[in-house]
Every structure is written in structure tokens, then in C-alpha cells.
Amino acid sequence: MKVQMTIKLYCFGESGNAYKAALALELAGVRWQPVFVDFFNGETRTDKFRQLNPMGEVPVMDHDGLILTQSGLIQQYVVKQSGKLGGDTQAENHEILRWVLWDNHKHSSNCGTTRFLNNFIAEEKRPQAVIQWLQGRLKGSWSTLEVVLQERDWLVGGRISVADLSCCGYLYYPEPFGFERGDWPAIGRWLDRIAAQPGWKHPYDLMPGHPSDRRDQKP
């Protein structure tokens, strides 16, 4: 049964950060609806969108006029409102926050940048030296996840939490940016466990917006 609150989430399918928020809403059983943001045609840079979020980013959550931005904050709001995807103790909640902050700083930021540079700009403009450097940083992050997930099913406690949803956000995308499941078997099994959760959907099925939509556009 869906939790009785209706939330609008401004998002687009290619955004791993928006996916983290959307997946938390979906797995928590919250009633929500996506609002497509046309990032690749510059919508986040418009004055109208900046009035919604001066940072010019997605995701943006609108719950009856309460506006929240940043995926980690939206996830925490979902936990508080739904009572799901959090820890059982204060210590576990602190550990969840630690993983979310680690992901934002060490993992997702590098995933998003690398994936964008490697797929969403013209090939002749891709800075290969920068991409390679970022991929080196990502290998360090994936090594951290791999070691931890060799010893446990979930990052915190005995069940899925927003720590998992934060750290997994970019790893389901098909566009190449250096992550290969076969190189990280414990991470791969963890991704399968998350995908087996009731309500899980691939980012391109959960949110509007797909690279093929732009390929179909006429110049």
C-alpha cells in the first residue's frame, strides 16, 4: 500500500542523483509523480527553474509547497515521513548518514562527471586525461564498496536503507564510464539484491527521459 502523501519530483531519466530520490520514494511506497526536466535543452538554467531551485539542479521535491533539493536530503525526508529505509537505532542512522555523505563526495560525484564526459558530449571534446583520472578515483571507491559488501548484504544493518540507494544510484546505467560488474562481484550481488526489492525499477523505467529521446529529435 502506498504511503498517503503525494510528492512531485522534478527529474529526468539520465540523472543518477534524481534516481536516488525517485528510488527511495518508490521503495518506501510513497505516492509520487515525476515532473520531467529537460536538462539537455537547458531547462535547469532558465529563470523559471532557478526560482524553484537556485542551485539549478535536479532532483527537486515539492511536497505541498515544501521544496527540498539534494538527493540525500530528499532521501532523509522520505525516511522520516514513511518510517522506511532508515536504521533501527541512532547508531545505524549515523552510519547511514556517513555512507550518504561518503557517496556524495567520493562516489556519485565522480560517477556522474565521468559518465557525462564519456557519453553526453561530442567525442572530439571528451577530455580523455580527465576521464582516466576520474576512473582511477572511482576504482578506489569501488574497492571500498567491494570490501564492505564481501562481509555483509547491506551497507548498514540487516536490511536495505537509503545508504544502499545512495551508493547504487549510478551503477545501473548502461552508458560506459568504467564500471564493469564482472570486476566487482560483491557489488554485483548487492545490485542484484537491490533490484530484487518490491517496487524496484531501472532509472529509465522509473523516470521520464532517455538518450534515445534526444536521438529522435530533429535538429
Side-chain angles (χ1 to χ4, degrees):
M1 176 180 291
K2 291 285 186 181
V3 177
Q4 294 302 308
M5 59 176 174
T6 301
I7 283 176
K8 292 181 180 179
L9 186 72
Y10 292 78
C11 58
F12 61 98
E14 294 98 327
S15 170
N17 286 315
Y19 181 51
K20 298 180 207 176
L23 193 57
L25 289 162
E26 192 70 18
L27 296 192
V30 171
R31 191 186 305 277
W32 71 286
Q33 62 185 59
V35 179
F36 175 64
V37 176
D38 195 353
F39 171 84
F40 287 96
N41 282 316
E43 184 176 350
T44 58
R45 297 189 295 275
T46 63
D47 290 341
K48 181 179 179 180
F49 190 86
R50 294 277 182 167
Q51 290 175 3
L52 181 68
N53 180 12
M55 296 177 179
E57 300 173 335
V58 299
V60 179
M61 187 206 79
D62 180 353
H63 183 200
D64 296 333
L66 172 65
I67 306 298
L68 297 179
T69 71
Q70 299 297 316
S71 60
L73 176 58
I74 294 170
Q75 288 180 327
Q76 292 298 317
Y77 184 81
V78 171
V79 169
K80 183 175 181 180
Q81 294 296 314
S82 71
K84 300 178 181 179
L85 301 173
D88 292 327
T89 66
Q90 185 178 50
E92 285 188 355
N93 285 323
H94 288 164
E95 185 68 359
I96 288 170
L97 180 58
R98 186 171 79 106
W99 276 108
V100 170
L101 294 174
W102 174 87
D103 169 69
N104 287 188
H105 178 58
K106 294 285 191 178
H107 186 225
S108 281
S109 57
N110 289 332
C111 286
T113 302
T114 309
R115 177 169 160 266
F116 184 85
L117 293 177
N118 206 45
N119 296 279
F120 297 130
I121 62 175
E123 187 171 357
E124 66 273 11
K125 295 182 179 179
R126 295 173 188 171
Q128 293 302 325
V130 174
I131 291 171
Q132 291 173 9
W133 185 84
L134 287 168
Q135 287 174 334
R137 298 280 291 175
L138 283 170
K139 286 181 180 178
S141 295
W142 296 329
S143 294
T144 298
L145 284 174
E146 182 74 11
V147 168
V148 170
L149 291 167
Q150 286 172 351
E151 300 176 349
R152 63 185 79 163
D153 287 344
W154 307 108
L155 289 176
V156 179
R159 55 188 166 86
I160 191 170
S161 72
V162 291
D164 302 287
L165 302 187
S166 188
C167 292
C168 80
Y170 277 94
L171 301 183
Y172 291 106
Y173 281 95
E175 298 85 14
F177 62 97
F179 177 72
E180 298 289 342
R181 279 203 192 193
D183 297 334
W184 310 98
I187 294 176
R189 292 190 295 271
W190 169 68
L191 293 174
D192 288 341
R193 285 191 292 274
I194 296 171
Q197 298 296 302
W200 181 90
K201 293 180 182 179
H202 187 277
Y204 288 142
D205 296 324
L206 189 56
M207 301 178 293
H210 188 283
S212 63
D213 298 337
R214 297 195 306 283
R215 288 196 295 269
D216 293 341
Q217 289 178 355
K218 295 181 179 179

